PDB file of all heavy atoms in Angstrom:
ATOM      1  N   ALA A   1     -26.556 120.273 158.096  1.00 91.00           N
ATOM      2  CA  ALA A   1     -26.638 119.514 156.968  1.00 91.00           C
ATOM      3  C   ALA A   1     -26.943 118.154 157.242  1.00 91.00           C
ATOM      4  O   ALA A   1     -27.749 117.409 156.652  1.00 91.00           O
ATOM      5  CB  ALA A   1     -25.446 119.693 156.125  1.00 91.00           C
ATOM      6  N   TRP A   2     -26.233 117.605 158.272  1.00 93.00           N
ATOM      7  CA  TRP A   2     -26.488 116.178 158.743  1.00 93.00           C
ATOM      8  C   TRP A   2     -27.995 116.046 159.320  1.00 93.00           C
ATOM      9  O   TRP A   2     -28.467 115.029 158.937  1.00 93.00           O
ATOM     10  CB  TRP A   2     -25.438 115.929 159.833  1.00 93.00           C
ATOM     11  CG  TRP A   2     -25.380 114.393 160.241  1.00 93.00           C
ATOM     12  CD1 TRP A   2     -24.657 113.486 159.745  1.00 93.00           C
ATOM     13  CD2 TRP A   2     -26.191 113.867 161.345  1.00 93.00           C
ATOM     14  NE1 TRP A   2     -24.932 112.269 160.387  1.00 93.00           N
ATOM     15  CE2 TRP A   2     -25.859 112.425 161.324  1.00 93.00           C
ATOM     16  CE3 TRP A   2     -27.081 114.335 162.172  1.00 93.00           C
ATOM     17  CZ2 TRP A   2     -26.448 111.573 162.273  1.00 93.00           C
ATOM     18  CZ3 TRP A   2     -27.688 113.489 163.106  1.00 93.00           C
ATOM     19  CH2 TRP A   2     -27.325 112.109 163.155  1.00 93.00           C
ATOM     20  N   VAL A   3     -28.416 116.952 159.947  1.00 94.00           N
ATOM     21  CA  VAL A   3     -29.775 116.913 160.470  1.00 94.00           C
ATOM     22  C   VAL A   3     -30.725 116.822 159.362  1.00 94.00           C
ATOM     23  O   VAL A   3     -31.709 115.950 159.330  1.00 94.00           O
ATOM     24  CB  VAL A   3     -30.083 117.956 161.466  1.00 94.00           C
ATOM     25  CG1 VAL A   3     -31.592 117.964 161.816  1.00 94.00           C
ATOM     26  CG2 VAL A   3     -29.255 117.842 162.752  1.00 94.00           C
ATOM     27  N   LEU A   4     -30.568 117.686 158.424  1.00 94.00           N
ATOM     28  CA  LEU A   4     -31.463 117.718 157.219  1.00 94.00           C
ATOM     29  C   LEU A   4     -31.379 116.453 156.419  1.00 94.00           C
ATOM     30  O   LEU A   4     -32.401 115.983 155.898  1.00 94.00           O
ATOM     31  CB  LEU A   4     -31.147 118.968 156.327  1.00 94.00           C
ATOM     32  CG  LEU A   4     -31.401 120.349 156.964  1.00 94.00           C
ATOM     33  CD1 LEU A   4     -30.994 121.401 155.991  1.00 94.00           C
ATOM     34  CD2 LEU A   4     -32.967 120.452 157.127  1.00 94.00           C
ATOM     35  N   MET A   5     -30.296 115.886 156.376  1.00 92.00           N
ATOM     36  CA  MET A   5     -30.105 114.589 155.642  1.00 92.00           C
ATOM     37  C   MET A   5     -30.806 113.434 156.372  1.00 92.00           C
ATOM     38  O   MET A   5     -31.470 112.562 155.573  1.00 92.00           O
ATOM     39  CB  MET A   5     -28.632 114.175 155.535  1.00 92.00           C
ATOM     40  CG  MET A   5     -28.289 112.955 154.688  1.00 92.00           C
ATOM     41  SD  MET A   5     -26.583 112.690 154.445  1.00 92.00           S
ATOM     42  CE  MET A   5     -25.911 112.540 156.047  1.00 92.00           C
ATOM     43  N   GLN A   6     -30.937 113.484 157.656  1.00 93.00           N
ATOM     44  CA  GLN A   6     -31.633 112.371 158.346  1.00 93.00           C
ATOM     45  C   GLN A   6     -33.061 112.583 158.148  1.00 93.00           C
ATOM     46  O   GLN A   6     -33.864 111.657 157.925  1.00 93.00           O
ATOM     47  CB  GLN A   6     -31.409 112.531 159.840  1.00 93.00           C
ATOM     48  CG  GLN A   6     -29.858 112.554 160.289  1.00 93.00           C
ATOM     49  CD  GLN A   6     -29.031 111.687 159.614  1.00 93.00           C
ATOM     50  OE1 GLN A   6     -29.282 110.381 159.696  1.00 93.00           O
ATOM     51  NE2 GLN A   6     -28.042 112.149 158.916  1.00 93.00           N
ATOM     52  N   ILE A   7     -33.644 113.896 158.118  1.00 93.00           N
ATOM     53  CA  ILE A   7     -35.069 114.009 157.997  1.00 93.00           C
ATOM     54  C   ILE A   7     -35.359 113.613 156.468  1.00 93.00           C
ATOM     55  O   ILE A   7     -36.424 113.075 156.159  1.00 93.00           O
ATOM     56  CB  ILE A   7     -35.332 115.533 158.082  1.00 93.00           C
ATOM     57  CG1 ILE A   7     -35.179 115.942 159.611  1.00 93.00           C
ATOM     58  CG2 ILE A   7     -36.897 115.938 157.787  1.00 93.00           C
ATOM     59  CD1 ILE A   7     -35.226 117.308 159.930  1.00 93.00           C
ATOM     60  N   TRP A   8     -34.475 114.065 155.528  1.00 93.00           N
ATOM     61  CA  TRP A   8     -34.727 113.630 153.990  1.00 93.00           C
ATOM     62  C   TRP A   8     -34.849 112.048 153.927  1.00 93.00           C
ATOM     63  O   TRP A   8     -35.716 111.656 153.290  1.00 93.00           O
ATOM     64  CB  TRP A   8     -33.727 114.281 153.165  1.00 93.00           C
ATOM     65  CG  TRP A   8     -33.921 114.007 151.775  1.00 93.00           C
ATOM     66  CD1 TRP A   8     -34.565 114.990 150.880  1.00 93.00           C
ATOM     67  CD2 TRP A   8     -33.560 112.963 150.954  1.00 93.00           C
ATOM     68  NE1 TRP A   8     -34.561 114.322 149.579  1.00 93.00           N
ATOM     69  CE2 TRP A   8     -34.009 113.179 149.607  1.00 93.00           C
ATOM     70  CE3 TRP A   8     -32.862 111.713 151.202  1.00 93.00           C
ATOM     71  CZ2 TRP A   8     -33.794 112.226 148.550  1.00 93.00           C
ATOM     72  CZ3 TRP A   8     -32.643 110.874 150.247  1.00 93.00           C
ATOM     73  CH2 TRP A   8     -33.116 111.096 148.873  1.00 93.00           C
ATOM     74  N   ASN A   9     -33.970 111.418 154.526  1.00 91.00           N
ATOM     75  CA  ASN A   9     -33.902 109.995 154.536  1.00 91.00           C
ATOM     76  C   ASN A   9     -35.233 109.280 155.090  1.00 91.00           C
ATOM     77  O   ASN A   9     -35.777 108.380 154.569  1.00 91.00           O
ATOM     78  CB  ASN A   9     -32.656 109.500 155.102  1.00 91.00           C
ATOM     79  CG  ASN A   9     -31.456 109.605 154.207  1.00 91.00           C
ATOM     80  OD1 ASN A   9     -31.488 109.499 153.052  1.00 91.00           O
ATOM     81  ND2 ASN A   9     -30.327 109.969 154.973  1.00 91.00           N
ATOM     82  N   VAL A  10     -35.698 109.949 156.227  1.00 90.00           N
ATOM     83  CA  VAL A  10     -36.908 109.394 156.806  1.00 90.00           C
ATOM     84  C   VAL A  10     -38.068 109.557 155.906  1.00 90.00           C
ATOM     85  O   VAL A  10     -38.876 108.575 155.763  1.00 90.00           O
ATOM     86  CB  VAL A  10     -37.162 110.184 158.084  1.00 90.00           C
ATOM     87  CG1 VAL A  10     -38.672 109.850 158.618  1.00 90.00           C
ATOM     88  CG2 VAL A  10     -36.226 109.633 159.264  1.00 90.00           C
ATOM     89  N   ILE A  11     -38.176 110.697 155.124  1.00 88.00           N
ATOM     90  CA  ILE A  11     -39.271 110.841 154.258  1.00 88.00           C
ATOM     91  C   ILE A  11     -39.154 110.112 152.888  1.00 88.00           C
ATOM     92  O   ILE A  11     -40.082 109.585 152.367  1.00 88.00           O
ATOM     93  CB  ILE A  11     -39.276 112.414 153.900  1.00 88.00           C
ATOM     94  CG1 ILE A  11     -39.606 113.166 155.244  1.00 88.00           C
ATOM     95  CG2 ILE A  11     -40.398 112.680 152.851  1.00 88.00           C
ATOM     96  CD1 ILE A  11     -39.547 114.702 154.961  1.00 88.00           C
ATOM     97  N   ASN A  12     -37.857 109.941 152.402  1.00 87.00           N
ATOM     98  CA  ASN A  12     -37.737 109.379 151.038  1.00 87.00           C
ATOM     99  C   ASN A  12     -37.167 108.054 150.928  1.00 87.00           C
ATOM    100  O   ASN A  12     -37.303 107.400 149.875  1.00 87.00           O
ATOM    101  CB  ASN A  12     -36.818 110.351 150.277  1.00 87.00           C
ATOM    102  CG  ASN A  12     -37.467 111.738 150.132  1.00 87.00           C
ATOM    103  OD1 ASN A  12     -38.224 111.827 149.161  1.00 87.00           O
ATOM    104  ND2 ASN A  12     -37.094 112.698 150.890  1.00 87.00           N
ATOM    105  N   VAL A  13     -36.543 107.559 152.016  1.00 76.00           N
ATOM    106  CA  VAL A  13     -35.902 106.213 151.980  1.00 76.00           C
ATOM    107  C   VAL A  13     -36.712 105.196 152.656  1.00 76.00           C
ATOM    108  O   VAL A  13     -37.031 105.370 153.800  1.00 76.00           O
ATOM    109  CB  VAL A  13     -34.468 106.279 152.461  1.00 76.00           C
ATOM    110  CG1 VAL A  13     -33.866 104.862 152.464  1.00 76.00           C
ATOM    111  CG2 VAL A  13     -33.567 107.305 151.755  1.00 76.00           C
ATOM    112  N   HIS A  14     -37.075 104.091 151.956  1.00 68.00           N
ATOM    113  CA  HIS A  14     -37.854 103.065 152.565  1.00 68.00           C
ATOM    114  C   HIS A  14     -37.035 101.757 152.549  1.00 68.00           C
ATOM    115  O   HIS A  14     -36.530 101.324 151.461  1.00 68.00           O
ATOM    116  CB  HIS A  14     -39.149 102.851 151.790  1.00 68.00           C
ATOM    117  CG  HIS A  14     -39.973 104.090 151.818  1.00 68.00           C
ATOM    118  ND1 HIS A  14     -40.708 104.571 152.850  1.00 68.00           N
ATOM    119  CD2 HIS A  14     -40.113 105.026 150.928  1.00 68.00           C
ATOM    120  CE1 HIS A  14     -41.319 105.727 152.564  1.00 68.00           C
ATOM    121  NE2 HIS A  14     -41.033 105.988 151.291  1.00 68.00           N
ATOM    122  N   GLY A  15     -36.820 101.131 153.756  1.00 64.00           N
ATOM    123  CA  GLY A  15     -36.088  99.920 153.735  1.00 64.00           C
ATOM    124  C   GLY A  15     -34.571 100.285 153.944  1.00 64.00           C
ATOM    125  O   GLY A  15     -34.282 101.341 154.306  1.00 64.00           O
ATOM    126  N   GLY A  16     -33.757  99.401 153.480  1.00 67.00           N
ATOM    127  CA  GLY A  16     -32.298  99.599 153.687  1.00 67.00           C
ATOM    128  C   GLY A  16     -31.778  99.095 155.060  1.00 67.00           C
ATOM    129  O   GLY A  16     -32.597  98.886 155.912  1.00 67.00           O
ATOM    130  N   GLU A  17     -30.512  99.414 155.188  1.00 67.00           N
ATOM    131  CA  GLU A  17     -29.908  98.926 156.486  1.00 67.00           C
ATOM    132  C   GLU A  17     -29.827  99.942 157.553  1.00 67.00           C
ATOM    133  O   GLU A  17     -29.531  99.633 158.724  1.00 67.00           O
ATOM    134  CB  GLU A  17     -28.477  98.491 156.147  1.00 67.00           C
ATOM    135  CG  GLU A  17     -28.312  97.291 155.264  1.00 67.00           C
ATOM    136  CD  GLU A  17     -26.923  96.767 155.066  1.00 67.00           C
ATOM    137  OE1 GLU A  17     -26.023  97.488 155.585  1.00 67.00           O
ATOM    138  OE2 GLU A  17     -26.703  95.744 154.370  1.00 67.00           O
ATOM    139  N   THR A  18     -30.081 101.188 157.242  1.00 77.00           N
ATOM    140  CA  THR A  18     -29.959 102.351 158.204  1.00 77.00           C
ATOM    141  C   THR A  18     -31.283 102.618 158.910  1.00 77.00           C
ATOM    142  O   THR A  18     -32.254 102.707 158.226  1.00 77.00           O
ATOM    143  CB  THR A  18     -29.407 103.580 157.634  1.00 77.00           C
ATOM    144  OG1 THR A  18     -28.100 103.301 156.986  1.00 77.00           O
ATOM    145  CG2 THR A  18     -29.274 104.642 158.704  1.00 77.00           C
ATOM    146  N   ALA A  19     -31.357 102.633 160.242  1.00 87.00           N
ATOM    147  CA  ALA A  19     -32.590 102.996 160.950  1.00 87.00           C
ATOM    148  C   ALA A  19     -32.796 104.415 161.151  1.00 87.00           C
ATOM    149  O   ALA A  19     -32.361 104.965 162.130  1.00 87.00           O
ATOM    150  CB  ALA A  19     -32.634 102.109 162.278  1.00 87.00           C
ATOM    151  N   TRP A  20     -33.232 105.035 160.101  1.00 92.00           N
ATOM    152  CA  TRP A  20     -33.307 106.601 160.090  1.00 92.00           C
ATOM    153  C   TRP A  20     -34.205 107.052 161.242  1.00 92.00           C
ATOM    154  O   TRP A  20     -33.925 108.183 161.779  1.00 92.00           O
ATOM    155  CB  TRP A  20     -33.819 107.074 158.777  1.00 92.00           C
ATOM    156  CG  TRP A  20     -32.964 106.670 157.601  1.00 92.00           C
ATOM    157  CD1 TRP A  20     -33.214 105.738 156.619  1.00 92.00           C
ATOM    158  CD2 TRP A  20     -31.606 107.107 157.278  1.00 92.00           C
ATOM    159  NE1 TRP A  20     -32.157 105.709 155.740  1.00 92.00           N
ATOM    160  CE2 TRP A  20     -31.268 106.361 156.146  1.00 92.00           C
ATOM    161  CE3 TRP A  20     -30.752 107.924 158.032  1.00 92.00           C
ATOM    162  CZ2 TRP A  20     -29.962 106.617 155.633  1.00 92.00           C
ATOM    163  CZ3 TRP A  20     -29.491 108.140 157.550  1.00 92.00           C
ATOM    164  CH2 TRP A  20     -29.025 107.500 156.378  1.00 92.00           C
ATOM    165  N   TRP A  21     -35.346 106.356 161.598  1.00 94.00           N
ATOM    166  CA  TRP A  21     -36.161 106.756 162.610  1.00 94.00           C
ATOM    167  C   TRP A  21     -35.474 106.852 163.923  1.00 94.00           C
ATOM    168  O   TRP A  21     -35.790 107.610 164.912  1.00 94.00           O
ATOM    169  CB  TRP A  21     -37.373 106.011 162.690  1.00 94.00           C
ATOM    170  CG  TRP A  21     -38.522 106.440 161.787  1.00 94.00           C
ATOM    171  CD1 TRP A  21     -38.943 105.826 160.674  1.00 94.00           C
ATOM    172  CD2 TRP A  21     -39.162 107.681 161.915  1.00 94.00           C
ATOM    173  NE1 TRP A  21     -40.051 106.552 160.139  1.00 94.00           N
ATOM    174  CE2 TRP A  21     -40.124 107.721 160.852  1.00 94.00           C
ATOM    175  CE3 TRP A  21     -39.259 108.715 162.858  1.00 94.00           C
ATOM    176  CZ2 TRP A  21     -40.985 108.698 160.614  1.00 94.00           C
ATOM    177  CZ3 TRP A  21     -40.115 109.760 162.686  1.00 94.00           C
ATOM    178  CH2 TRP A  21     -41.066 109.781 161.501  1.00 94.00           C
ATOM    179  N   ALA A  22     -34.424 105.994 164.251  1.00 96.00           N
ATOM    180  CA  ALA A  22     -33.698 106.059 165.431  1.00 96.00           C
ATOM    181  C   ALA A  22     -32.932 107.309 165.488  1.00 96.00           C
ATOM    182  O   ALA A  22     -32.845 107.895 166.600  1.00 96.00           O
ATOM    183  CB  ALA A  22     -32.714 104.884 165.512  1.00 96.00           C
ATOM    184  N   HIS A  23     -32.404 107.749 164.414  1.00 96.00           N
ATOM    185  CA  HIS A  23     -31.808 109.125 164.479  1.00 96.00           C
ATOM    186  C   HIS A  23     -32.681 110.200 164.727  1.00 96.00           C
ATOM    187  O   HIS A  23     -32.359 111.104 165.537  1.00 96.00           O
ATOM    188  CB  HIS A  23     -31.057 109.419 163.067  1.00 96.00           C
ATOM    189  CG  HIS A  23     -30.194 108.269 162.635  1.00 96.00           C
ATOM    190  ND1 HIS A  23     -29.354 108.380 161.352  1.00 96.00           N
ATOM    191  CD2 HIS A  23     -29.696 107.173 163.189  1.00 96.00           C
ATOM    192  CE1 HIS A  23     -28.571 107.325 161.309  1.00 96.00           C
ATOM    193  NE2 HIS A  23     -28.830 106.595 162.386  1.00 96.00           N
ATOM    194  N   ILE A  24     -33.911 110.239 164.122  1.00 97.00           N
ATOM    195  CA  ILE A  24     -34.848 111.252 164.484  1.00 97.00           C
ATOM    196  C   ILE A  24     -35.305 111.283 165.928  1.00 97.00           C
ATOM    197  O   ILE A  24     -35.400 112.355 166.546  1.00 97.00           O
ATOM    198  CB  ILE A  24     -36.096 111.054 163.545  1.00 97.00           C
ATOM    199  CG1 ILE A  24     -35.658 111.226 162.072  1.00 97.00           C
ATOM    200  CG2 ILE A  24     -37.041 112.150 164.059  1.00 97.00           C
ATOM    201  CD1 ILE A  24     -35.040 112.487 161.646  1.00 97.00           C
ATOM    202  N   GLY A  25     -35.424 110.016 166.476  1.00 97.00           N
ATOM    203  CA  GLY A  25     -35.777 109.896 167.891  1.00 97.00           C
ATOM    204  C   GLY A  25     -34.681 110.547 168.815  1.00 97.00           C
ATOM    205  O   GLY A  25     -34.999 111.337 169.818  1.00 97.00           O
ATOM    206  N   GLY A  26     -33.480 110.169 168.562  1.00 98.00           N
ATOM    207  CA  GLY A  26     -32.443 110.818 169.246  1.00 98.00           C
ATOM    208  C   GLY A  26     -32.284 112.232 169.233  1.00 98.00           C
ATOM    209  O   GLY A  26     -31.921 112.974 170.144  1.00 98.00           O
ATOM    210  N   LEU A  27     -32.333 112.845 167.874  1.00 97.00           N
ATOM    211  CA  LEU A  27     -32.272 114.275 167.705  1.00 97.00           C
ATOM    212  C   LEU A  27     -33.314 114.919 168.449  1.00 97.00           C
ATOM    213  O   LEU A  27     -33.010 115.903 169.173  1.00 97.00           O
ATOM    214  CB  LEU A  27     -32.472 114.416 166.178  1.00 97.00           C
ATOM    215  CG  LEU A  27     -31.241 114.345 165.294  1.00 97.00           C
ATOM    216  CD1 LEU A  27     -31.713 114.228 163.797  1.00 97.00           C
ATOM    217  CD2 LEU A  27     -30.258 115.350 165.504  1.00 97.00           C
ATOM    218  N   ALA A  28     -34.455 114.492 168.421  1.00 97.00           N
ATOM    219  CA  ALA A  28     -35.683 115.109 169.023  1.00 97.00           C
ATOM    220  C   ALA A  28     -35.410 115.250 170.598  1.00 97.00           C
ATOM    221  O   ALA A  28     -35.572 116.380 171.180  1.00 97.00           O
ATOM    222  CB  ALA A  28     -37.003 114.462 168.779  1.00 97.00           C
TER     223      ALA A  28
END
């Protein structure tokens, strides 16, 4: 669920304080 939440945020959230792409890079 945590992984899916990171992917959802990369697709749908723009801006904000969290660097979602950093999470995706680490996951991959």
Side-chain angles (χ1 to χ4, degrees):
W2 187 88
V3 170
L4 291 176
M5 185 169 61
Q6 311 314 303
I7 296 172
W8 186 92
N9 283 320
V10 163
I11 296 171
N12 294 281
V13 178
H14 304 285
E17 296 182 356
T18 304
W20 300 111
W21 274 109
H23 299 183
I24 298 300
L27 279 168

